[in-house]
Amino acid sequence: MIKFKIFFDIEKEERWLNEMLAKGWICSNINSAGIYTFQPTENLEQVIRIDCQQELRKEKKATYKQLHEDFGWRIVKEKAYDGTYYWLKRKDGNDELFSDHDSHIAKYKRLMKQASNWAILSFIFLMIFYANDSYYSLFSIKNAYFTPGLWEKEGFSFLFAFLFETPFAIGRFIPPWLFLVTCSIYITLYYRYRKSIQQFNQ
């Protein structure tokens, strides 16, 4: 079975993957486009955990993987571009990757850094997209139509030109909003993770 999902928060993603596992579907692959591949399973006594390790060097990465494998974890997927690891294990009572105060705080600090990096990247793309344009076009789709004199045309001439350029206009209008929304989501996540750290420190 294949499902398409987009997650910004790995904690929500982790919950969803475990809900699917509880229904008898185990995740066997995840790609960067948000496509999840599931296989049926009768072994429901398993758990999936997600970790974020953006800055592991080659030597530390090998140690990190070996340490988790020694405790019974198996990698389902490693996303090399952002350091996200998907771990699978049979339930044995020690089903958390992070069991102490300091490791939880370290996890949220890594998630904060990842969220801030993606927020900055989204903002940069937004700036690049509008480097030579007016930001007013964000709020007017008419400005995304480049056909000279389009709005002065009438009848069939207008309809033909309008329909012909509409896909291109949509392609110009939507991406900046996607970058803006993505940036806002990651900023929200940054402060949510920071709040989680504050709760651990109380």
Side-chain angles (χ1 to χ4, degrees), residues 135-154:
Y135 291 98
Y136 290 112
S137 57
L138 267 172
F139 306 99
S140 175
I141 194 171
K142 288 178 68 173
N143 291 332
Y145 287 83
F146 291 171
T147 300
L150 173 64
W151 307 109
E152 286 72 41
K153 294 179 183 290
E154 296 180 352

Side-chain angles (χ1 to χ4, degrees), residues 4-202:
F4 172 76
K5 283 271 190 177
I6 296 293
F7 288 97
F8 295 93
D9 185 347
I10 67 170
E11 293 184 322
K12 289 183 178 180
E13 182 181 12
E14 183 179 282
R15 285 195 296 270
W16 178 70
L17 289 172
N18 282 295
E19 288 170 2
M20 292 294 295
L21 184 53
K23 296 175 183 178
W25 293 97
I26 188 169
C27 185
S28 59
N29 190 44
I30 307 108
N31 70 17
S32 56
I35 297 175
Y36 295 76
T37 303
F38 292 89
Q39 302 294 334
T41 180
E42 296 181 358
N43 183 7
L44 305 184
E45 294 302 308
Q46 299 182 85
V47 62
I48 291 177
R49 297 290 181 234
I50 307 176
D51 190 16
C52 181
Q53 296 281 350
Q54 309 103 310
E55 298 181 351
L56 285 180
R57 303 284 183 179
K58 185 176 181 180
E59 300 78 11
K60 290 187 177 180
K61 184 182 294 188
T63 302
Y64 167 79
K65 290 180 179 179
Q66 188 61 55
L67 178 65
H68 285 76
E69 289 169 358
D70 289 345
F71 282 93
W73 294 97
R74 175 176 66 84
I75 287 182
V76 176
K77 176 70 176 180
E78 173 189 349
K79 290 182 179 178
Y81 69 91
D82 69 353
T84 303
Y85 292 83
Y86 296 77
W87 293 99
L88 177 70
K89 180 186 178 184
R90 181 174 178 81
K91 292 181 180 179
D92 60 3
N94 297 307
D95 306 326
E96 299 293 337
L97 292 176
F98 311 100
S99 56
D100 61 84
H101 181 273
D102 291 339
S103 62
H104 273 289
I105 290 177
K107 178 192 79 169
Y108 283 115
K109 285 183 177 179
R110 292 194 300 273
L111 291 176
M112 282 176 62
K113 185 170 184 178
Q114 185 189 56
S116 64
N117 288 342
W118 282 112
I120 292 170
L121 186 62
S122 299
F123 185 75
I124 290 173
F125 277 126
L126 178 62
M127 294 296 100
I128 291 173
F129 199 95
Y130 273 101
N132 298 311
D133 202 351
S134 167
Y135 291 98
Y136 290 112
S137 57
L138 267 172
F139 306 99
S140 175
I141 194 171
K142 288 178 68 173
N143 291 332
Y145 287 83
F146 291 171
T147 300
L150 173 64
W151 307 109
E152 286 72 41
K153 294 179 183 290
E154 296 180 352
F156 180 78
S157 177
F158 167 77
L159 183 62
F160 177 80
F162 177 79
L163 293 177
F164 178 81
E165 193 175 353
T166 291
F168 301 102
I170 292 174
R172 299 183 193 108
F173 183 75
I174 291 180
W177 279 104
L178 292 179
F179 294 137
L180 187 60
V181 169
T182 300
C183 182
S184 301
I185 290 172
Y186 280 116
I187 290 173
T188 302
L189 285 175
Y190 176 90
Y191 284 102
R192 184 189 301 172
Y193 296 143
R194 191 172 76 166
K195 184 178 180 180
S196 295
I197 291 176
Q198 292 171 346
Q199 291 174 342
F200 272 104
N201 285 327
Q202 289 177 355

